[in-house]
Amino acid sequence: HAPSSLMSRTARPYRITFFIGLMALQAAMSLNGIAQTRDELVREDRRKITDEGFWIYNDLPKAFATAKQTGKPILVVLRCIPCHECVKLDDDLVDKDPTIRPLLNQFVCVRQVSTNGLDLELFQYDTDQSFAVFILNADGTVYGRFGTRSHRTDWLGDVSLDGLAEALKGSLTLHRNYPRNRAQVVGKRGGKPEVTSPEKYPSLKDKFTNQLNYSGDVSKSCIHCHQIGDAQRSFYWNSGKPIPENILFPYPHPKILGLILDPKKKATVESVLPESIAANSGLRTGDIIELIAGQSPLSIADVQWVLHQAPATGGNIPLSVKRNNQLIVVSLKLPPAWRQLGDLSWRATSWAYRRMLTGGMRLTELVSEKRKQLNLDENQMALQVQHLGQYNAHAAAKRAGLRKGDILIGYDGRTDLKTESQLFTHSINRHKPGDKVPVTALREGKKREFTIPIQP
């Protein structure tokens, strides 16, 4: 998708501040000769938002109380202020389509900039994002989610202003019909998590409290979204328990099934890849998903929520789709191990896996031309070391003798692990901290043997 999917109307004279662009803050601070620390960015954001008075700032209890008084639904934006990756999204959303503001006026709008004390039974989402939207009733019913990501820095193809507007409109319809439509939204809340709020995870409890510390370095007191995912995985890994596959491969993107949804519309099929799971399930371009697993989806994120709840072993997910003004029922047929079609390497939490499983190596698939030069079959494992950690646990591979540019052709006796994700999955299912894993690598065309540790 071209950038116009986000920016098609930004030349219009009407401006609103849906999110504050971090780069704009940095530019203003630079002009005044002020140091651009993370702490100052958080404080400046708080001042600006509270001065404007439109958004409730980091106060969910106030938002729920206001919603009960006004009868409005709640719009919660989870947004990490110092995150330089979601700036790329924010910059595109500073100048707004004028249709957005009238929609926002119909919500109690909350800007949540930290996850300290966050109710994890209510707010369940893909924590590898730094931007996520929840739309709720005052009684805690979740109408829907917005915001997704399938690449570390590229948001195009996943979100758009048009898609946000459609999600807001759809949630207002759900709100008007609530509670008569309770059956369509009851499944949008999950079960009980391992802990009730992030700071209660073992790996976080001695480092953070349930609120930000504005009397000190506030940015260092903040629990970032990805730290929840890290803590959740550590909860299992460091207790010797296998990491469940829905935690290892969370919130599967529909595109791994060959299902490409239009980011500008509400759960509408833009295309279906030939011979894919979506194609074999009977989905077609132009289908509008009215119900998925009995739930009314507002966005790609809602479809991901349903996929996140689906069994790792596969099964059928019922869908009602509108096709040529007719309602048709199909089933999304998930095969065994379908989650493993996803790519873990773009996720922030992949760095934790690299520490745990590869001694700090970041691995990428060797290109076909290079494979031919080394006489490596296309089915042979060939993962090149693109980055080698230099410090602490991330330097374990370096200490073992591996170098940047080495090509792994064997790991733990396996020669068929063709992607970093496959290597992660194999190792997590087979090993625990303290184990030693043999690694075979090519360096200047010669085989070399190494041993790397599996780490906490």
mmCIF file with all atom_site columns, all heavy atoms in Angstrom, residues 316-339:
data_model
loop_
_atom_site.group_PDB
_atom_site.id
_atom_site.type_symbol
_atom_site.label_atom_id
_atom_site.label_alt_id
_atom_site.label_comp_id
_atom_site.label_asym_id
_atom_site.label_entity_id
_atom_site.label_seq_id
_atom_site.pdbx_PDB_ins_code
_atom_site.Cartn_x
_atom_site.Cartn_y
_atom_site.Cartn_z
_atom_site.occupancy
_atom_site.B_iso_or_equiv
_atom_site.pdbx_formal_charge
_atom_site.auth_seq_id
_atom_site.auth_comp_id
_atom_site.auth_asym_id
_atom_site.auth_atom_id
_atom_site.pdbx_PDB_model_num
ATOM 1   N N   . ASN A 1 316 ? -11.422 -25.801 13.012 1.00 0.00 ? 316 ASN A N   1
ATOM 2   C CA  . ASN A 1 316 ? -12.225 -24.948 12.139 1.00 0.00 ? 316 ASN A CA  1
ATOM 3   C C   . ASN A 1 316 ? -12.769 -23.744 12.897 1.00 0.00 ? 316 ASN A C   1
ATOM 4   O O   . ASN A 1 316 ? -13.286 -23.880 14.006 1.00 0.00 ? 316 ASN A O   1
ATOM 5   C CB  . ASN A 1 316 ? -13.391 -25.739 11.538 1.00 0.00 ? 316 ASN A CB  1
ATOM 6   C CG  . ASN A 1 316 ? -12.917 -26.843 10.620 1.00 0.00 ? 316 ASN A CG  1
ATOM 7   O OD1 . ASN A 1 316 ? -11.837 -26.764 10.037 1.00 0.00 ? 316 ASN A OD1 1
ATOM 8   N ND2 . ASN A 1 316 ? -13.707 -27.889 10.482 1.00 0.00 ? 316 ASN A ND2 1
ATOM 9   N N   . ILE A 1 317 ? -12.651 -22.576 12.285 1.00 0.00 ? 317 ILE A N   1
ATOM 10  C CA  . ILE A 1 317 ? -13.220 -21.346 12.837 1.00 0.00 ? 317 ILE A CA  1
ATOM 11  C C   . ILE A 1 317 ? -14.369 -20.919 11.917 1.00 0.00 ? 317 ILE A C   1
ATOM 12  O O   . ILE A 1 317 ? -14.149 -20.628 10.742 1.00 0.00 ? 317 ILE A O   1
ATOM 13  C CB  . ILE A 1 317 ? -12.173 -20.232 12.920 1.00 0.00 ? 317 ILE A CB  1
ATOM 14  C CG1 . ILE A 1 317 ? -11.032 -20.624 13.857 1.00 0.00 ? 317 ILE A CG1 1
ATOM 15  C CG2 . ILE A 1 317 ? -12.822 -18.929 13.392 1.00 0.00 ? 317 ILE A CG2 1
ATOM 16  C CD1 . ILE A 1 317 ? -9.929  -19.593 13.933 1.00 0.00 ? 317 ILE A CD1 1
ATOM 17  N N   . PRO A 1 318 ? -15.601 -20.877 12.427 1.00 0.00 ? 318 PRO A N   1
ATOM 18  C CA  . PRO A 1 318 ? -16.732 -20.489 11.569 1.00 0.00 ? 318 PRO A CA  1
ATOM 19  C C   . PRO A 1 318 ? -16.718 -18.999 11.251 1.00 0.00 ? 318 PRO A C   1
ATOM 20  O O   . PRO A 1 318 ? -16.417 -18.170 12.110 1.00 0.00 ? 318 PRO A O   1
ATOM 21  C CB  . PRO A 1 318 ? -17.945 -20.866 12.420 1.00 0.00 ? 318 PRO A CB  1
ATOM 22  C CG  . PRO A 1 318 ? -17.468 -20.805 13.834 1.00 0.00 ? 318 PRO A CG  1
ATOM 23  C CD  . PRO A 1 318 ? -16.020 -21.210 13.805 1.00 0.00 ? 318 PRO A CD  1
ATOM 24  N N   . LEU A 1 319 ? -17.037 -18.674 10.015 1.00 0.00 ? 319 LEU A N   1
ATOM 25  C CA  . LEU A 1 319 ? -17.148 -17.292 9.574  1.00 0.00 ? 319 LEU A CA  1
ATOM 26  C C   . LEU A 1 319 ? -18.457 -17.096 8.831  1.00 0.00 ? 319 LEU A C   1
ATOM 27  O O   . LEU A 1 319 ? -18.892 -17.976 8.063  1.00 0.00 ? 319 LEU A O   1
ATOM 28  C CB  . LEU A 1 319 ? -16.007 -16.893 8.633  1.00 0.00 ? 319 LEU A CB  1
ATOM 29  C CG  . LEU A 1 319 ? -14.589 -16.774 9.176  1.00 0.00 ? 319 LEU A CG  1
ATOM 30  C CD1 . LEU A 1 319 ? -13.878 -18.110 9.096  1.00 0.00 ? 319 LEU A CD1 1
ATOM 31  C CD2 . LEU A 1 319 ? -13.807 -15.728 8.396  1.00 0.00 ? 319 LEU A CD2 1
ATOM 32  N N   . SER A 1 320 ? -19.068 -15.933 9.042  1.00 0.00 ? 320 SER A N   1
ATOM 33  C CA  . SER A 1 320 ? -20.192 -15.489 8.219  1.00 0.00 ? 320 SER A CA  1
ATOM 34  C C   . SER A 1 320 ? -19.689 -14.314 7.405  1.00 0.00 ? 320 SER A C   1
ATOM 35  O O   . SER A 1 320 ? -19.263 -13.291 7.969  1.00 0.00 ? 320 SER A O   1
ATOM 36  C CB  . SER A 1 320 ? -21.380 -15.067 9.080  1.00 0.00 ? 320 SER A CB  1
ATOM 37  O OG  . SER A 1 320 ? -21.894 -16.160 9.803  1.00 0.00 ? 320 SER A OG  1
ATOM 38  N N   . VAL A 1 321 ? -19.704 -14.456 6.076  1.00 0.00 ? 321 VAL A N   1
ATOM 39  C CA  . VAL A 1 321 ? -19.182 -13.396 5.221  1.00 0.00 ? 321 VAL A CA  1
ATOM 40  C C   . VAL A 1 321 ? -20.272 -12.914 4.275  1.00 0.00 ? 321 VAL A C   1
ATOM 41  O O   . VAL A 1 321 ? -21.126 -13.684 3.833  1.00 0.00 ? 321 VAL A O   1
ATOM 42  C CB  . VAL A 1 321 ? -17.947 -13.870 4.412  1.00 0.00 ? 321 VAL A CB  1
ATOM 43  C CG1 . VAL A 1 321 ? -16.847 -14.348 5.345  1.00 0.00 ? 321 VAL A CG1 1
ATOM 44  C CG2 . VAL A 1 321 ? -18.310 -14.964 3.429  1.00 0.00 ? 321 VAL A CG2 1
ATOM 45  N N   . LYS A 1 322 ? -20.234 -11.609 3.997  1.00 0.00 ? 322 LYS A N   1
ATOM 46  C CA  . LYS A 1 322 ? -21.142 -11.042 3.018  1.00 0.00 ? 322 LYS A CA  1
ATOM 47  C C   . LYS A 1 322 ? -20.438 -11.030 1.678  1.00 0.00 ? 322 LYS A C   1
ATOM 48  O O   . LYS A 1 322 ? -19.353 -10.471 1.520  1.00 0.00 ? 322 LYS A O   1
ATOM 49  C CB  . LYS A 1 322 ? -21.545 -9.621  3.418  1.00 0.00 ? 322 LYS A CB  1
ATOM 50  C CG  . LYS A 1 322 ? -22.604 -9.020  2.509  1.00 0.00 ? 322 LYS A CG  1
ATOM 51  C CD  . LYS A 1 322 ? -22.983 -7.624  2.953  1.00 0.00 ? 322 LYS A CD  1
ATOM 52  C CE  . LYS A 1 322 ? -23.795 -7.652  4.225  1.00 0.00 ? 322 LYS A CE  1
ATOM 53  N NZ  . LYS A 1 322 ? -24.290 -6.299  4.597  1.00 0.00 ? 322 LYS A NZ  1
ATOM 54  N N   . ARG A 1 323 ? -21.058 -11.704 0.701  1.00 0.00 ? 323 ARG A N   1
ATOM 55  C CA  . ARG A 1 323 ? -20.474 -11.810 -0.643 1.00 0.00 ? 323 ARG A CA  1
ATOM 56  C C   . ARG A 1 323 ? -21.563 -11.512 -1.664 1.00 0.00 ? 323 ARG A C   1
ATOM 57  O O   . ARG A 1 323 ? -22.570 -12.224 -1.720 1.00 0.00 ? 323 ARG A O   1
ATOM 58  C CB  . ARG A 1 323 ? -19.908 -13.208 -0.866 1.00 0.00 ? 323 ARG A CB  1
ATOM 59  C CG  . ARG A 1 323 ? -19.250 -13.425 -2.227 1.00 0.00 ? 323 ARG A CG  1
ATOM 60  C CD  . ARG A 1 323 ? -18.786 -14.873 -2.369 1.00 0.00 ? 323 ARG A CD  1
ATOM 61  N NE  . ARG A 1 323 ? -17.781 -15.238 -1.381 1.00 0.00 ? 323 ARG A NE  1
ATOM 62  C CZ  . ARG A 1 323 ? -17.452 -16.509 -1.097 1.00 0.00 ? 323 ARG A CZ  1
ATOM 63  N NH1 . ARG A 1 323 ? -18.062 -17.516 -1.720 1.00 0.00 ? 323 ARG A NH1 1
ATOM 64  N NH2 . ARG A 1 323 ? -16.538 -16.756 -0.180 1.00 0.00 ? 323 ARG A NH2 1
ATOM 65  N N   . ASN A 1 324 ? -21.384 -10.438 -2.423 1.00 0.00 ? 324 ASN A N   1
ATOM 66  C CA  . ASN A 1 324 ? -22.394 -10.035 -3.409 1.00 0.00 ? 324 ASN A CA  1
ATOM 67  C C   . ASN A 1 324 ? -23.769 -9.903  -2.766 1.00 0.00 ? 324 ASN A C   1
ATOM 68  O O   . ASN A 1 324 ? -24.777 -10.388 -3.281 1.00 0.00 ? 324 ASN A O   1
ATOM 69  C CB  . ASN A 1 324 ? -22.439 -11.033 -4.575 1.00 0.00 ? 324 ASN A CB  1
ATOM 70  C CG  . ASN A 1 324 ? -21.122 -11.124 -5.319 1.00 0.00 ? 324 ASN A CG  1
ATOM 71  O OD1 . ASN A 1 324 ? -20.408 -10.127 -5.464 1.00 0.00 ? 324 ASN A OD1 1
ATOM 72  N ND2 . ASN A 1 324 ? -20.766 -12.325 -5.776 1.00 0.00 ? 324 ASN A ND2 1
ATOM 73  N N   . ASN A 1 325 ? -23.785 -9.253  -1.590 1.00 0.00 ? 325 ASN A N   1
ATOM 74  C CA  . ASN A 1 325 ? -25.018 -8.979  -0.838 1.00 0.00 ? 325 ASN A CA  1
ATOM 75  C C   . ASN A 1 325 ? -25.712 -10.230 -0.320 1.00 0.00 ? 325 ASN A C   1
ATOM 76  O O   . ASN A 1 325 ? -26.870 -10.175 0.091  1.00 0.00 ? 325 ASN A O   1
ATOM 77  C CB  . ASN A 1 325 ? -26.003 -8.170  -1.693 1.00 0.00 ? 325 ASN A CB  1
ATOM 78  C CG  . ASN A 1 325 ? -25.482 -6.763  -1.974 1.00 0.00 ? 325 ASN A CG  1
ATOM 79  O OD1 . ASN A 1 325 ? -24.886 -6.133  -1.094 1.00 0.00 ? 325 ASN A OD1 1
ATOM 80  N ND2 . ASN A 1 325 ? -25.686 -6.289  -3.184 1.00 0.00 ? 325 ASN A ND2 1
ATOM 81  N N   . GLN A 1 326 ? -24.987 -11.342 -0.311 1.00 0.00 ? 326 GLN A N   1
ATOM 82  C CA  . GLN A 1 326 ? -25.521 -12.565 0.277  1.00 0.00 ? 326 GLN A CA  1
ATOM 83  C C   . GLN A 1 326 ? -24.655 -12.975 1.460  1.00 0.00 ? 326 GLN A C   1
ATOM 84  O O   . GLN A 1 326 ? -23.432 -12.804 1.440  1.00 0.00 ? 326 GLN A O   1
ATOM 85  C CB  . GLN A 1 326 ? -25.546 -13.707 -0.748 1.00 0.00 ? 326 GLN A CB  1
ATOM 86  C CG  . GLN A 1 326 ? -26.567 -13.507 -1.859 1.00 0.00 ? 326 GLN A CG  1
ATOM 87  C CD  . GLN A 1 326 ? -26.645 -14.734 -2.769 1.00 0.00 ? 326 GLN A CD  1
ATOM 88  O OE1 . GLN A 1 326 ? -25.634 -15.402 -2.997 1.00 0.00 ? 326 GLN A OE1 1
ATOM 89  N NE2 . GLN A 1 326 ? -27.833 -15.028 -3.281 1.00 0.00 ? 326 GLN A NE2 1
ATOM 90  N N   . LEU A 1 327 ? -25.298 -13.509 2.489  1.00 0.00 ? 327 LEU A N   1
ATOM 91  C CA  . LEU A 1 327 ? -24.569 -13.975 3.661  1.00 0.00 ? 327 LEU A CA  1
ATOM 92  C C   . LEU A 1 327 ? -24.226 -15.445 3.480  1.00 0.00 ? 327 LEU A C   1
ATOM 93  O O   . LEU A 1 327 ? -25.098 -16.288 3.266  1.00 0.00 ? 327 LEU A O   1
ATOM 94  C CB  . LEU A 1 327 ? -25.408 -13.779 4.924  1.00 0.00 ? 327 LEU A CB  1
ATOM 95  C CG  . LEU A 1 327 ? -24.628 -13.730 6.246  1.00 0.00 ? 327 LEU A CG  1
ATOM 96  C CD1 . LEU A 1 327 ? -23.641 -12.572 6.257  1.00 0.00 ? 327 LEU A CD1 1
ATOM 97  C CD2 . LEU A 1 327 ? -25.581 -13.621 7.424  1.00 0.00 ? 327 LEU A CD2 1
ATOM 98  N N   . ILE A 1 328 ? -22.936 -15.756 3.550  1.00 0.00 ? 328 ILE A N   1
ATOM 99  C CA  . ILE A 1 328 ? -22.438 -17.111 3.303  1.00 0.00 ? 328 ILE A CA  1
ATOM 100 C C   . ILE A 1 328 ? -21.634 -17.573 4.514  1.00 0.00 ? 328 ILE A C   1
ATOM 101 O O   . ILE A 1 328 ? -20.861 -16.797 5.092  1.00 0.00 ? 328 ILE A O   1
ATOM 102 C CB  . ILE A 1 328 ? -21.547 -17.134 2.039  1.00 0.00 ? 328 ILE A CB  1
ATOM 103 C CG1 . ILE A 1 328 ? -22.378 -16.725 0.812  1.00 0.00 ? 328 ILE A CG1 1
ATOM 104 C CG2 . ILE A 1 328 ? -20.933 -18.519 1.827  1.00 0.00 ? 328 ILE A CG2 1
ATOM 105 C CD1 . ILE A 1 328 ? -21.543 -16.546 -0.433 1.00 0.00 ? 328 ILE A CD1 1
ATOM 106 N N   . VAL A 1 329 ? -21.820 -18.811 4.898  1.00 0.00 ? 329 VAL A N   1
ATOM 107 C CA  . VAL A 1 329 ? -21.090 -19.381 6.030  1.00 0.00 ? 329 VAL A CA  1
ATOM 108 C C   . VAL A 1 329 ? -19.962 -20.264 5.499  1.00 0.00 ? 329 VAL A C   1
ATOM 109 O O   . VAL A 1 329 ? -20.186 -21.144 4.669  1.00 0.00 ? 329 VAL A O   1
ATOM 110 C CB  . VAL A 1 329 ? -22.015 -20.207 6.937  1.00 0.00 ? 329 VAL A CB  1
ATOM 111 C CG1 . VAL A 1 329 ? -21.213 -20.861 8.060  1.00 0.00 ? 329 VAL A CG1 1
ATOM 112 C CG2 . VAL A 1 329 ? -23.111 -19.325 7.519  1.00 0.00 ? 329 VAL A CG2 1
ATOM 113 N N   . VAL A 1 330 ? -18.735 -19.981 5.956  1.00 0.00 ? 330 VAL A N   1
ATOM 114 C CA  . VAL A 1 330 ? -17.575 -20.803 5.598  1.00 0.00 ? 330 VAL A CA  1
ATOM 115 C C   . VAL A 1 330 ? -16.818 -21.128 6.884  1.00 0.00 ? 330 VAL A C   1
ATOM 116 O O   . VAL A 1 330 ? -17.131 -20.605 7.954  1.00 0.00 ? 330 VAL A O   1
ATOM 117 C CB  . VAL A 1 330 ? -16.640 -20.083 4.596  1.00 0.00 ? 330 VAL A CB  1
ATOM 118 C CG1 . VAL A 1 330 ? -17.349 -19.798 3.294  1.00 0.00 ? 330 VAL A CG1 1
ATOM 119 C CG2 . VAL A 1 330 ? -16.091 -18.793 5.203  1.00 0.00 ? 330 VAL A CG2 1
ATOM 120 N N   . SER A 1 331 ? -15.823 -21.987 6.784  1.00 0.00 ? 331 SER A N   1
ATOM 121 C CA  . SER A 1 331 ? -14.982 -22.322 7.929  1.00 0.00 ? 331 SER A CA  1
ATOM 122 C C   . SER A 1 331 ? -13.526 -22.105 7.570  1.00 0.00 ? 331 SER A C   1
ATOM 123 O O   . SER A 1 331 ? -13.063 -22.571 6.522  1.00 0.00 ? 331 SER A O   1
ATOM 124 C CB  . SER A 1 331 ? -15.194 -23.775 8.356  1.00 0.00 ? 331 SER A CB  1
ATOM 125 O OG  . SER A 1 331 ? -16.450 -23.935 8.973  1.00 0.00 ? 331 SER A OG  1
ATOM 126 N N   . LEU A 1 332 ? -12.821 -21.389 8.414  1.00 0.00 ? 332 LEU A N   1
ATOM 127 C CA  . LEU A 1 332 ? -11.384 -21.227 8.258  1.00 0.00 ? 332 LEU A CA  1
ATOM 128 C C   . LEU A 1 332 ? -10.726 -22.480 8.819  1.00 0.00 ? 332 LEU A C   1
ATOM 129 O O   . LEU A 1 332 ? -10.794 -22.740 10.021 1.00 0.00 ? 332 LEU A O   1
ATOM 130 C CB  . LEU A 1 332 ? -10.928 -19.983 9.003  1.00 0.00 ? 332 LEU A CB  1
ATOM 131 C CG  . LEU A 1 332 ? -9.521  -19.458 8.739  1.00 0.00 ? 332 LEU A CG  1
ATOM 132 C CD1 . LEU A 1 332 ? -9.316  -19.143 7.268  1.00 0.00 ? 332 LEU A CD1 1
ATOM 133 C CD2 . LEU A 1 332 ? -9.258  -18.214 9.589  1.00 0.00 ? 332 LEU A CD2 1
ATOM 134 N N   . LYS A 1 333 ? -10.121 -23.269 7.954  1.00 0.00 ? 333 LYS A N   1
ATOM 135 C CA  . LYS A 1 333 ? -9.617  -24.589 8.321  1.00 0.00 ? 333 LYS A CA  1
ATOM 136 C C   . LYS A 1 333 ? -8.126  -24.509 8.656  1.00 0.00 ? 333 LYS A C   1
ATOM 137 O O   . LYS A 1 333 ? -7.277  -24.434 7.782  1.00 0.00 ? 333 LYS A O   1
ATOM 138 C CB  . LYS A 1 333 ? -9.857  -25.570 7.181  1.00 0.00 ? 333 LYS A CB  1
ATOM 139 C CG  . LYS A 1 333 ? -11.339 -25.701 6.810  1.00 0.00 ? 333 LYS A CG  1
ATOM 140 C CD  . LYS A 1 333 ? -11.547 -26.527 5.557  1.00 0.00 ? 333 LYS A CD  1
ATOM 141 C CE  . LYS A 1 333 ? -13.030 -26.559 5.176  1.00 0.00 ? 333 LYS A CE  1
ATOM 142 N NZ  . LYS A 1 333 ? -13.237 -27.293 3.900  1.00 0.00 ? 333 LYS A NZ  1
ATOM 143 N N   . LEU A 1 334 ? -7.845  -24.552 9.950  1.00 0.00 ? 334 LEU A N   1
ATOM 144 C CA  . LEU A 1 334 ? -6.467  -24.417 10.420 1.00 0.00 ? 334 LEU A CA  1
ATOM 145 C C   . LEU A 1 334 ? -5.836  -25.794 10.566 1.00 0.00 ? 334 LEU A C   1
ATOM 146 O O   . LEU A 1 334 ? -6.332  -26.629 11.328 1.00 0.00 ? 334 LEU A O   1
ATOM 147 C CB  . LEU A 1 334 ? -6.430  -23.690 11.754 1.00 0.00 ? 334 LEU A CB  1
ATOM 148 C CG  . LEU A 1 334 ? -7.057  -22.289 11.793 1.00 0.00 ? 334 LEU A CG  1
ATOM 149 C CD1 . LEU A 1 334 ? -7.001  -21.731 13.200 1.00 0.00 ? 334 LEU A CD1 1
ATOM 150 C CD2 . LEU A 1 334 ? -6.369  -21.360 10.808 1.00 0.00 ? 334 LEU A CD2 1
ATOM 151 N N   . PRO A 1 335 ? -4.727  -26.050 9.882  1.00 0.00 ? 335 PRO A N   1
ATOM 152 C CA  . PRO A 1 335 ? -4.058  -27.352 9.992  1.00 0.00 ? 335 PRO A CA  1
ATOM 153 C C   . PRO A 1 335 ? -3.220  -27.418 11.270 1.00 0.00 ? 335 PRO A C   1
ATOM 154 O O   . PRO A 1 335 ? -2.998  -26.397 11.931 1.00 0.00 ? 335 PRO A O   1
ATOM 155 C CB  . PRO A 1 335 ? -3.165  -27.391 8.759  1.00 0.00 ? 335 PRO A CB  1
ATOM 156 C CG  . PRO A 1 335 ? -2.818  -25.948 8.516  1.00 0.00 ? 335 PRO A CG  1
ATOM 157 C CD  . PRO A 1 335 ? -4.050  -25.172 8.911  1.00 0.00 ? 335 PRO A CD  1
ATOM 158 N N   . PRO A 1 336 ? -2.735  -28.595 11.632 1.00 0.00 ? 336 PRO A N   1
ATOM 159 C CA  . PRO A 1 336 ? -1.830  -28.694 12.782 1.00 0.00 ? 336 PRO A CA  1
ATOM 160 C C   . PRO A 1 336 ? -0.583  -27.828 12.577 1.00 0.00 ? 336 PRO A C   1
ATOM 161 O O   . PRO A 1 336 ? -0.118  -27.652 11.452 1.00 0.00 ? 336 PRO A O   1
ATOM 162 C CB  . PRO A 1 336 ? -1.470  -30.188 12.811 1.00 0.00 ? 336 PRO A CB  1
ATOM 163 C CG  . PRO A 1 336 ? -2.604  -30.863 12.128 1.00 0.00 ? 336 PRO A CG  1
ATOM 164 C CD  . PRO A 1 336 ? -3.056  -29.918 11.055 1.00 0.00 ? 336 PRO A CD  1
ATOM 165 N N   . ALA A 1 337 ? -0.071  -27.274 13.653 1.00 0.00 ? 337 ALA A N   1
ATOM 166 C CA  . ALA A 1 337 ? 1.141   -26.444 13.643 1.00 0.00 ? 337 ALA A CA  1
ATOM 167 C C   . ALA A 1 337 ? 0.992   -25.188 12.788 1.00 0.00 ? 337 ALA A C   1
ATOM 168 O O   . ALA A 1 337 ? 1.986   -24.598 12.354 1.00 0.00 ? 337 ALA A O   1
ATOM 169 C CB  . ALA A 1 337 ? 2.349   -27.252 13.173 1.00 0.00 ? 337 ALA A CB  1
ATOM 170 N N   . TRP A 1 338 ? -0.228  -24.741 12.582 1.00 0.00 ? 338 TRP A N   1
ATOM 171 C CA  . TRP A 1 338 ? -0.465  -23.571 11.736 1.00 0.00 ? 338 TRP A CA  1
ATOM 172 C C   . TRP A 1 338 ? 0.185   -22.307 12.299 1.00 0.00 ? 338 TRP A C   1
ATOM 173 O O   . TRP A 1 338 ? 0.620   -21.441 11.528 1.00 0.00 ? 338 TRP A O   1
ATOM 174 C CB  . TRP A 1 338 ? -1.966  -23.343 11.563 1.00 0.00 ? 338 TRP A CB  1
ATOM 175 C CG  . TRP A 1 338 ? -2.673  -22.996 12.840 1.00 0.00 ? 338 TRP A CG  1
ATOM 176 C CD1 . TRP A 1 338 ? -3.120  -23.849 13.796 1.00 0.00 ? 338 TRP A CD1 1
ATOM 177 C CD2 . TRP A 1 338 ? -2.977  -21.680 13.315 1.00 0.00 ? 338 TRP A CD2 1
ATOM 178 N NE1 . TRP A 1 338 ? -3.694  -23.169 14.847 1.00 0.00 ? 338 TRP A NE1 1
ATOM 179 C CE2 . TRP A 1 338 ? -3.625  -21.836 14.575 1.00 0.00 ? 338 TRP A CE2 1
ATOM 180 C CE3 . TRP A 1 338 ? -2.777  -20.393 12.816 1.00 0.00 ? 338 TRP A CE3 1
ATOM 181 C CZ2 . TRP A 1 338 ? -4.063  -20.748 15.329 1.00 0.00 ? 338 TRP A CZ2 1
ATOM 182 C CZ3 . TRP A 1 338 ? -3.212  -19.321 13.561 1.00 0.00 ? 338 TRP A CZ3 1
ATOM 183 C CH2 . TRP A 1 338 ? -3.856  -19.496 14.804 1.00 0.00 ? 338 TRP A CH2 1
ATOM 184 N N   . ARG A 1 339 ? 0.288   -22.191 13.613 1.00 0.00 ? 339 ARG A N   1
ATOM 185 C CA  . ARG A 1 339 ? 0.889   -20.996 14.201 1.00 0.00 ? 339 ARG A CA  1
ATOM 186 C C   . ARG A 1 339 ? 2.349   -20.825 13.776 1.00 0.00 ? 339 ARG A C   1
ATOM 187 O O   . ARG A 1 339 ? 2.859   -19.707 13.694 1.00 0.00 ? 339 ARG A O   1
ATOM 188 C CB  . ARG A 1 339 ? 0.824   -21.054 15.726 1.00 0.00 ? 339 ARG A CB  1
ATOM 189 C CG  . ARG A 1 339 ? -0.534  -20.771 16.318 1.00 0.00 ? 339 ARG A CG  1
ATOM 190 C CD  . ARG A 1 339 ? -0.473  -20.831 17.830 1.00 0.00 ? 339 ARG A CD  1
ATOM 191 N NE  . ARG A 1 339 ? -1.759  -20.602 18.432 1.00 0.00 ? 339 ARG A NE  1
ATOM 192 C CZ  . ARG A 1 339 ? -2.234  -19.407 18.798 1.00 0.00 ? 339 ARG A CZ  1
ATOM 193 N NH1 . ARG A 1 339 ? -1.485  -18.344 18.616 1.00 0.00 ? 339 ARG A NH1 1
ATOM 194 N NH2 . ARG A 1 339 ? -3.421  -19.287 19.342 1.00 0.00 ? 339 ARG A NH2 1
#
